[in-house]
PDB file of all heavy atoms in Angstrom:
ATOM      1  N   LYS A 433     118.102 109.345  44.647  1.00 96.00           N
ATOM      2  CA  LYS A 433     117.985 108.188  43.816  1.00 96.00           C
ATOM      3  C   LYS A 433     117.131 108.446  42.578  1.00 96.00           C
ATOM      4  O   LYS A 433     117.466 107.994  41.589  1.00 96.00           O
ATOM      5  CB  LYS A 433     117.310 107.057  44.699  1.00 96.00           C
ATOM      6  CG  LYS A 433     117.197 105.694  44.038  1.00 96.00           C
ATOM      7  CD  LYS A 433     116.543 104.611  44.766  1.00 96.00           C
ATOM      8  CE  LYS A 433     116.465 103.327  44.049  1.00 96.00           C
ATOM      9  NZ  LYS A 433     115.848 102.278  44.944  1.00 96.00           N
ATOM     10  N   ALA A 434     116.112 109.275  42.766  1.00 97.00           N
ATOM     11  CA  ALA A 434     115.278 109.719  41.594  1.00 97.00           C
ATOM     12  C   ALA A 434     115.996 110.652  40.649  1.00 97.00           C
ATOM     13  O   ALA A 434     115.790 110.601  39.503  1.00 97.00           O
ATOM     14  CB  ALA A 434     113.966 110.375  42.088  1.00 97.00           C
ATOM     15  N   TRP A 435     116.829 111.483  41.157  1.00 98.00           N
ATOM     16  CA  TRP A 435     117.458 112.535  40.338  1.00 98.00           C
ATOM     17  C   TRP A 435     118.529 112.029  39.436  1.00 98.00           C
ATOM     18  O   TRP A 435     118.357 112.362  38.203  1.00 98.00           O
ATOM     19  CB  TRP A 435     118.103 113.613  41.304  1.00 98.00           C
ATOM     20  CG  TRP A 435     118.798 114.727  40.678  1.00 98.00           C
ATOM     21  CD1 TRP A 435     118.361 115.630  39.836  1.00 98.00           C
ATOM     22  CD2 TRP A 435     120.211 115.035  40.789  1.00 98.00           C
ATOM     23  NE1 TRP A 435     119.335 116.571  39.369  1.00 98.00           N
ATOM     24  CE2 TRP A 435     120.525 116.122  39.912  1.00 98.00           C
ATOM     25  CE3 TRP A 435     121.226 114.398  41.592  1.00 98.00           C
ATOM     26  CZ2 TRP A 435     121.789 116.707  39.855  1.00 98.00           C
ATOM     27  CZ3 TRP A 435     122.496 114.993  41.427  1.00 98.00           C
ATOM     28  CH2 TRP A 435     122.844 116.160  40.657  1.00 98.00           C
ATOM     29  N   GLN A 436     119.438 111.306  39.849  1.00 96.00           N
ATOM     30  CA  GLN A 436     120.390 110.606  38.990  1.00 96.00           C
ATOM     31  C   GLN A 436     121.311 111.578  38.232  1.00 96.00           C
ATOM     32  O   GLN A 436     121.874 111.239  37.224  1.00 96.00           O
ATOM     33  CB  GLN A 436     119.780 109.522  38.060  1.00 96.00           C
ATOM     34  CG  GLN A 436     119.223 108.340  38.745  1.00 96.00           C
ATOM     35  CD  GLN A 436     120.072 107.453  39.428  1.00 96.00           C
ATOM     36  OE1 GLN A 436     120.999 107.034  38.712  1.00 96.00           O
ATOM     37  NE2 GLN A 436     119.827 107.026  40.592  1.00 96.00           N
ATOM     38  N   GLY A 437     121.201 112.857  38.639  1.00 96.00           N
ATOM     39  CA  GLY A 437     121.970 113.792  37.836  1.00 96.00           C
ATOM     40  C   GLY A 437     121.425 114.298  36.554  1.00 96.00           C
ATOM     41  O   GLY A 437     122.219 115.047  35.801  1.00 96.00           O
ATOM     42  N   LYS A 438     120.129 114.011  36.254  1.00 96.00           N
ATOM     43  CA  LYS A 438     119.612 114.345  35.070  1.00 96.00           C
ATOM     44  C   LYS A 438     118.517 115.368  35.225  1.00 96.00           C
ATOM     45  O   LYS A 438     117.492 115.222  36.058  1.00 96.00           O
ATOM     46  CB  LYS A 438     118.961 113.070  34.437  1.00 96.00           C
ATOM     47  CG  LYS A 438     119.983 111.976  34.206  1.00 96.00           C
ATOM     48  CD  LYS A 438     119.474 110.613  33.629  1.00 96.00           C
ATOM     49  CE  LYS A 438     120.403 109.640  33.528  1.00 96.00           C
ATOM     50  NZ  LYS A 438     119.804 108.325  32.986  1.00 96.00           N
ATOM     51  N   LYS A 439     118.499 116.369  34.299  1.00 96.00           N
ATOM     52  CA  LYS A 439     117.406 117.386  34.294  1.00 96.00           C
ATOM     53  C   LYS A 439     116.012 116.778  34.111  1.00 96.00           C
ATOM     54  O   LYS A 439     114.980 117.324  34.760  1.00 96.00           O
ATOM     55  CB  LYS A 439     117.732 118.472  33.215  1.00 96.00           C
ATOM     56  CG  LYS A 439     118.920 119.323  33.621  1.00 96.00           C
ATOM     57  CD  LYS A 439     119.005 120.486  32.569  1.00 96.00           C
ATOM     58  CE  LYS A 439     120.262 121.315  32.909  1.00 96.00           C
ATOM     59  NZ  LYS A 439     120.305 122.563  31.891  1.00 96.00           N
ATOM     60  N   ASP A 440     115.940 115.751  33.268  1.00 97.00           N
ATOM     61  CA  ASP A 440     114.506 115.188  33.114  1.00 97.00           C
ATOM     62  C   ASP A 440     113.981 114.555  34.394  1.00 97.00           C
ATOM     63  O   ASP A 440     112.895 114.343  34.369  1.00 97.00           O
ATOM     64  CB  ASP A 440     114.697 114.093  31.951  1.00 97.00           C
ATOM     65  CG  ASP A 440     114.960 114.648  30.586  1.00 97.00           C
ATOM     66  OD1 ASP A 440     114.881 115.906  30.300  1.00 97.00           O
ATOM     67  OD2 ASP A 440     115.430 113.923  29.657  1.00 97.00           O
ATOM     68  N   ASN A 441     114.879 114.328  35.311  1.00 98.00           N
ATOM     69  CA  ASN A 441     114.339 113.695  36.571  1.00 98.00           C
ATOM     70  C   ASN A 441     114.087 114.621  37.780  1.00 98.00           C
ATOM     71  O   ASN A 441     113.713 114.189  38.864  1.00 98.00           O
ATOM     72  CB  ASN A 441     115.423 112.616  36.986  1.00 98.00           C
ATOM     73  CG  ASN A 441     115.591 111.596  36.065  1.00 98.00           C
ATOM     74  OD1 ASN A 441     114.614 111.160  35.303  1.00 98.00           O
ATOM     75  ND2 ASN A 441     116.712 110.701  36.222  1.00 98.00           N
ATOM     76  N   VAL A 442     114.146 115.957  37.443  1.00 98.00           N
ATOM     77  CA  VAL A 442     114.023 116.919  38.472  1.00 98.00           C
ATOM     78  C   VAL A 442     112.710 116.913  39.109  1.00 98.00           C
ATOM     79  O   VAL A 442     112.501 116.880  40.351  1.00 98.00           O
ATOM     80  CB  VAL A 442     114.294 118.431  37.897  1.00 98.00           C
ATOM     81  CG1 VAL A 442     113.866 119.296  38.866  1.00 98.00           C
ATOM     82  CG2 VAL A 442     115.877 118.565  37.739  1.00 98.00           C
ATOM     83  N   THR A 443     111.669 116.768  38.262  1.00 97.00           N
ATOM     84  CA  THR A 443     110.259 116.719  38.902  1.00 97.00           C
ATOM     85  C   THR A 443     110.011 115.557  39.767  1.00 97.00           C
ATOM     86  O   THR A 443     109.572 115.707  40.860  1.00 97.00           O
ATOM     87  CB  THR A 443     109.226 116.739  37.749  1.00 97.00           C
ATOM     88  OG1 THR A 443     109.425 117.901  36.994  1.00 97.00           O
ATOM     89  CG2 THR A 443     107.895 116.638  38.302  1.00 97.00           C
ATOM     90  N   ALA A 444     110.519 114.419  39.264  1.00 97.00           N
ATOM     91  CA  ALA A 444     110.454 113.055  40.125  1.00 97.00           C
ATOM     92  C   ALA A 444     111.154 113.214  41.379  1.00 97.00           C
ATOM     93  O   ALA A 444     110.720 112.807  42.477  1.00 97.00           O
ATOM     94  CB  ALA A 444     110.857 111.985  39.350  1.00 97.00           C
ATOM     95  N   ALA A 445     112.453 113.867  41.337  1.00 98.00           N
ATOM     96  CA  ALA A 445     113.227 114.061  42.635  1.00 98.00           C
ATOM     97  C   ALA A 445     112.563 114.951  43.589  1.00 98.00           C
ATOM     98  O   ALA A 445     112.580 114.801  44.770  1.00 98.00           O
ATOM     99  CB  ALA A 445     114.627 114.490  42.192  1.00 98.00           C
ATOM    100  N   GLN A 446     112.008 116.067  42.986  1.00 98.00           N
ATOM    101  CA  GLN A 446     111.305 116.993  43.947  1.00 98.00           C
ATOM    102  C   GLN A 446     109.942 116.457  44.479  1.00 98.00           C
ATOM    103  O   GLN A 446     109.773 116.640  45.580  1.00 98.00           O
ATOM    104  CB  GLN A 446     110.907 118.336  43.053  1.00 98.00           C
ATOM    105  CG  GLN A 446     112.177 119.133  42.747  1.00 98.00           C
ATOM    106  CD  GLN A 446     111.867 120.385  41.933  1.00 98.00           C
ATOM    107  OE1 GLN A 446     110.847 120.361  41.244  1.00 98.00           O
ATOM    108  NE2 GLN A 446     112.632 121.402  42.020  1.00 98.00           N
ATOM    109  N   ASN A 447     109.362 115.627  43.739  1.00 97.00           N
ATOM    110  CA  ASN A 447     108.125 114.957  44.348  1.00 97.00           C
ATOM    111  C   ASN A 447     108.621 114.085  45.522  1.00 97.00           C
ATOM    112  O   ASN A 447     107.901 114.020  46.526  1.00 97.00           O
ATOM    113  CB  ASN A 447     107.531 114.081  43.323  1.00 97.00           C
ATOM    114  CG  ASN A 447     106.725 114.942  42.302  1.00 97.00           C
ATOM    115  OD1 ASN A 447     106.386 116.151  42.523  1.00 97.00           O
ATOM    116  ND2 ASN A 447     106.407 114.386  41.088  1.00 97.00           N
ATOM    117  N   ALA A 448     109.743 113.437  45.402  1.00 97.00           N
ATOM    118  CA  ALA A 448     110.308 112.512  46.426  1.00 97.00           C
ATOM    119  C   ALA A 448     110.674 113.300  47.675  1.00 97.00           C
ATOM    120  O   ALA A 448     110.301 112.809  48.789  1.00 97.00           O
ATOM    121  CB  ALA A 448     111.418 111.769  45.990  1.00 97.00           C
ATOM    122  N   VAL A 449     111.428 114.407  47.550  1.00 97.00           N
ATOM    123  CA  VAL A 449     111.721 115.191  48.712  1.00 97.00           C
ATOM    124  C   VAL A 449     110.448 115.842  49.408  1.00 97.00           C
ATOM    125  O   VAL A 449     110.484 116.001  50.480  1.00 97.00           O
ATOM    126  CB  VAL A 449     112.915 116.205  48.342  1.00 97.00           C
ATOM    127  CG1 VAL A 449     112.288 117.377  47.679  1.00 97.00           C
ATOM    128  CG2 VAL A 449     113.534 116.694  49.543  1.00 97.00           C
ATOM    129  N   GLN A 450     109.574 116.315  48.585  1.00 97.00           N
ATOM    130  CA  GLN A 450     108.329 116.926  49.089  1.00 97.00           C
ATOM    131  C   GLN A 450     107.702 115.825  49.951  1.00 97.00           C
ATOM    132  O   GLN A 450     107.152 116.172  50.971  1.00 97.00           O
ATOM    133  CB  GLN A 450     107.495 117.467  48.016  1.00 97.00           C
ATOM    134  CG  GLN A 450     106.282 118.126  48.576  1.00 97.00           C
ATOM    135  CD  GLN A 450     105.341 118.423  47.504  1.00 97.00           C
ATOM    136  OE1 GLN A 450     104.959 117.671  46.609  1.00 97.00           O
ATOM    137  NE2 GLN A 450     104.656 119.613  47.525  1.00 97.00           N
ATOM    138  N   LYS A 451     107.493 114.708  49.480  1.00 97.00           N
ATOM    139  CA  LYS A 451     106.700 113.586  50.161  1.00 97.00           C
ATOM    140  C   LYS A 451     107.493 113.241  51.390  1.00 97.00           C
ATOM    141  O   LYS A 451     106.727 113.198  52.490  1.00 97.00           O
ATOM    142  CB  LYS A 451     106.666 112.364  49.195  1.00 97.00           C
ATOM    143  CG  LYS A 451     105.970 111.129  49.988  1.00 97.00           C
ATOM    144  CD  LYS A 451     105.944 109.959  49.030  1.00 97.00           C
ATOM    145  CE  LYS A 451     105.365 108.731  49.868  1.00 97.00           C
ATOM    146  NZ  LYS A 451     105.289 107.491  49.081  1.00 97.00           N
ATOM    147  N   ARG A 452     108.728 113.193  51.330  1.00 97.00           N
ATOM    148  CA  ARG A 452     109.423 112.761  52.611  1.00 97.00           C
ATOM    149  C   ARG A 452     109.337 114.017  53.559  1.00 97.00           C
ATOM    150  O   ARG A 452     109.146 113.694  54.955  1.00 97.00           O
ATOM    151  CB  ARG A 452     110.928 112.657  52.244  1.00 97.00           C
ATOM    152  CG  ARG A 452     111.663 111.834  53.397  1.00 97.00           C
ATOM    153  CD  ARG A 452     111.394 110.428  53.205  1.00 97.00           C
ATOM    154  NE  ARG A 452     110.712 109.834  54.376  1.00 97.00           N
ATOM    155  CZ  ARG A 452     109.908 108.861  54.368  1.00 97.00           C
ATOM    156  NH1 ARG A 452     109.544 108.174  53.232  1.00 97.00           N
ATOM    157  NH2 ARG A 452     109.236 108.489  55.464  1.00 97.00           N
ATOM    158  N   ALA A 453     109.453 115.183  53.179  1.00 98.00           N
ATOM    159  CA  ALA A 453     109.254 116.272  54.133  1.00 98.00           C
ATOM    160  C   ALA A 453     107.865 116.442  54.766  1.00 98.00           C
ATOM    161  O   ALA A 453     107.706 116.563  55.939  1.00 98.00           O
ATOM    162  CB  ALA A 453     109.596 117.627  53.378  1.00 98.00           C
ATOM    163  N   LEU A 454     106.923 116.246  53.921  1.00 97.00           N
ATOM    164  CA  LEU A 454     105.444 116.223  54.451  1.00 97.00           C
ATOM    165  C   LEU A 454     105.228 115.012  55.441  1.00 97.00           C
ATOM    166  O   LEU A 454     104.408 115.255  56.444  1.00 97.00           O
ATOM    167  CB  LEU A 454     104.516 116.126  53.325  1.00 97.00           C
ATOM    168  CG  LEU A 454     104.381 117.269  52.412  1.00 97.00           C
ATOM    169  CD1 LEU A 454     103.457 117.019  51.266  1.00 97.00           C
ATOM    170  CD2 LEU A 454     103.866 118.603  53.224  1.00 97.00           C
ATOM    171  N   LEU A 455     105.792 113.877  55.121  1.00 97.00           N
ATOM    172  CA  LEU A 455     105.544 112.716  56.204  1.00 97.00           C
ATOM    173  C   LEU A 455     106.315 113.012  57.524  1.00 97.00           C
ATOM    174  O   LEU A 455     105.779 112.713  58.463  1.00 97.00           O
ATOM    175  CB  LEU A 455     106.180 111.460  55.576  1.00 97.00           C
ATOM    176  CG  LEU A 455     105.484 110.824  54.314  1.00 97.00           C
ATOM    177  CD1 LEU A 455     106.263 109.622  53.733  1.00 97.00           C
ATOM    178  CD2 LEU A 455     104.058 110.432  54.789  1.00 97.00           C
ATOM    179  N   ASN A 456     107.481 113.675  57.436  1.00 98.00           N
ATOM    180  CA  ASN A 456     108.136 114.182  58.747  1.00 98.00           C
ATOM    181  C   ASN A 456     107.406 115.148  59.365  1.00 98.00           C
ATOM    182  O   ASN A 456     107.319 115.277  60.627  1.00 98.00           O
ATOM    183  CB  ASN A 456     109.551 114.474  58.383  1.00 98.00           C
ATOM    184  CG  ASN A 456     110.426 113.358  58.256  1.00 98.00           C
ATOM    185  OD1 ASN A 456     110.675 112.506  59.144  1.00 98.00           O
ATOM    186  ND2 ASN A 456     110.997 113.118  57.084  1.00 98.00           N
ATOM    187  N   GLY A 457     106.770 116.058  58.550  1.00 97.00           N
ATOM    188  CA  GLY A 457     105.894 117.105  59.246  1.00 97.00           C
ATOM    189  C   GLY A 457     104.713 116.549  59.894  1.00 97.00           C
ATOM    190  O   GLY A 457     104.419 117.026  61.024  1.00 97.00           O
ATOM    191  N   ALA A 458     104.175 115.443  59.351  1.00 97.00           N
ATOM    192  CA  ALA A 458     103.036 114.809  60.007  1.00 97.00           C
ATOM    193  C   ALA A 458     103.544 114.102  61.318  1.00 97.00           C
ATOM    194  O   ALA A 458     102.808 114.095  62.316  1.00 97.00           O
ATOM    195  CB  ALA A 458     102.466 113.655  59.090  1.00 97.00           C
ATOM    196  N   ALA A 459     104.793 113.436  61.341  1.00 97.00           N
ATOM    197  CA  ALA A 459     105.402 112.859  62.533  1.00 97.00           C
ATOM    198  C   ALA A 459     105.720 113.949  63.535  1.00 97.00           C
ATOM    199  O   ALA A 459     105.638 113.556  64.761  1.00 97.00           O
ATOM    200  CB  ALA A 459     106.677 112.185  62.058  1.00 97.00           C
ATOM    201  N   CYS A 460     105.837 115.237  63.147  1.00 97.00           N
ATOM    202  CA  CYS A 460     106.022 116.282  64.286  1.00 97.00           C
ATOM    203  C   CYS A 460     104.774 116.595  64.991  1.00 97.00           C
ATOM    204  O   CYS A 460     104.860 116.904  66.142  1.00 97.00           O
ATOM    205  CB  CYS A 460     106.423 117.583  63.607  1.00 97.00           C
ATOM    206  SG  CYS A 460     108.164 117.713  62.886  1.00 97.00           S
ATOM    207  N   ARG A 461     103.652 116.147  64.361  1.00 95.00           N
ATOM    208  CA  ARG A 461     102.405 116.303  65.048  1.00 95.00           C
ATOM    209  C   ARG A 461     101.892 114.907  65.640  1.00 95.00           C
ATOM    210  O   ARG A 461     100.689 114.922  66.095  1.00 95.00           O
ATOM    211  CB  ARG A 461     101.409 116.852  64.108  1.00 95.00           C
ATOM    212  CG  ARG A 461     101.755 118.131  63.559  1.00 95.00           C
ATOM    213  CD  ARG A 461     100.603 118.717  62.758  1.00 95.00           C
ATOM    214  NE  ARG A 461     100.402 117.867  61.439  1.00 95.00           N
ATOM    215  CZ  ARG A 461     100.997 118.141  60.393  1.00 95.00           C
ATOM    216  NH1 ARG A 461     101.981 119.028  60.239  1.00 95.00           N
ATOM    217  NH2 ARG A 461     100.662 117.360  59.330  1.00 95.00           N
ATOM    218  N   GLY A 462     102.570 113.978  65.552  1.00 95.00           N
ATOM    219  CA  GLY A 462     102.187 112.459  65.905  1.00 95.00           C
ATOM    220  C   GLY A 462     101.022 111.987  65.009  1.00 95.00           C
ATOM    221  O   GLY A 462     100.267 111.104  65.447  1.00 95.00           O
ATOM    222  N   GLU A 463     100.957 112.420  63.773  1.00 96.00           N
ATOM    223  CA  GLU A 463      99.859 112.029  62.933  1.00 96.00           C
ATOM    224  C   GLU A 463     100.365 111.113  61.702  1.00 96.00           C
ATOM    225  O   GLU A 463      99.577 110.816  60.853  1.00 96.00           O
ATOM    226  CB  GLU A 463      99.278 113.299  62.362  1.00 96.00           C
ATOM    227  CG  GLU A 463      98.701 114.174  63.531  1.00 96.00           C
ATOM    228  CD  GLU A 463      98.166 115.469  62.847  1.00 96.00           C
ATOM    229  OE1 GLU A 463      98.315 115.647  61.733  1.00 96.00           O
ATOM    230  OE2 GLU A 463      97.537 116.276  63.675  1.00 96.00           O
ATOM    231  N   TYR A 464     101.691 110.751  61.680  1.00 96.00           N
ATOM    232  CA  TYR A 464     102.151 109.782  60.743  1.00 96.00           C
ATOM    233  C   TYR A 464     101.474 108.430  60.885  1.00 96.00           C
ATOM    234  O   TYR A 464     101.445 107.926  61.930  1.00 96.00           O
ATOM    235  CB  TYR A 464     103.578 109.809  60.737  1.00 96.00           C
ATOM    236  CG  TYR A 464     104.283 108.660  59.859  1.00 96.00           C
ATOM    237  CD1 TYR A 464     104.484 108.926  58.559  1.00 96.00           C
ATOM    238  CD2 TYR A 464     104.595 107.557  60.533  1.00 96.00           C
ATOM    239  CE1 TYR A 464     105.243 107.884  57.793  1.00 96.00           C
ATOM    240  CE2 TYR A 464     105.254 106.457  59.759  1.00 96.00           C
ATOM    241  CZ  TYR A 464     105.470 106.754  58.431  1.00 96.00           C
ATOM    242  OH  TYR A 464     106.075 105.698  57.695  1.00 96.00           O
ATOM    243  N   GLN A 465     101.240 107.776  59.741  1.00 94.00           N
ATOM    244  CA  GLN A 465     100.760 106.435  59.676  1.00 94.00           C
ATOM    245  C   GLN A 465     101.508 105.798  58.515  1.00 94.00           C
ATOM    246  O   GLN A 465     101.702 106.316  57.372  1.00 94.00           O
ATOM    247  CB  GLN A 465      99.187 106.374  59.378  1.00 94.00           C
ATOM    248  CG  GLN A 465      98.483 106.955  60.544  1.00 94.00           C
ATOM    249  CD  GLN A 465      96.928 106.886  60.220  1.00 94.00           C
ATOM    250  OE1 GLN A 465      96.484 106.232  59.392  1.00 94.00           O
ATOM    251  NE2 GLN A 465      96.172 107.683  61.030  1.00 94.00           N
ATOM    252  N   SER A 466     101.881 104.516  58.789  1.00 92.00           N
ATOM    253  CA  SER A 466     102.636 103.703  57.775  1.00 92.00           C
ATOM    254  C   SER A 466     102.040 103.756  56.346  1.00 92.00           C
ATOM    255  O   SER A 466     102.851 103.736  55.316  1.00 92.00           O
ATOM    256  CB  SER A 466     103.083 102.376  58.233  1.00 92.00           C
ATOM    257  OG  SER A 466     101.772 101.659  58.449  1.00 92.00           O
TER     258      SER A 466
END
């Protein structure tokens, strides 16, 4: 959704995937909070 096929949006899109990955990493340890 953040990327939209535009080079100018790459950083925002990468921030979004990094955040989601880290939240799931926390969930792997039972440490995720809403």
Side-chain angles (χ1 to χ4, degrees):
K433 184 177 180 180
W435 179 61
Q436 296 291 314
K438 300 176 181 177
K439 288 185 178 181
D440 291 345
N441 294 340
V442 165
T443 298
Q446 290 181 332
N447 289 341
V449 74
Q450 182 191 44
K451 176 181 176 179
R452 201 76 248 151
L454 290 173
L455 290 175
N456 282 296
C460 288
R461 300 184 296 271
E463 297 173 356
Y464 166 84
Q465 297 178 11
S466 58

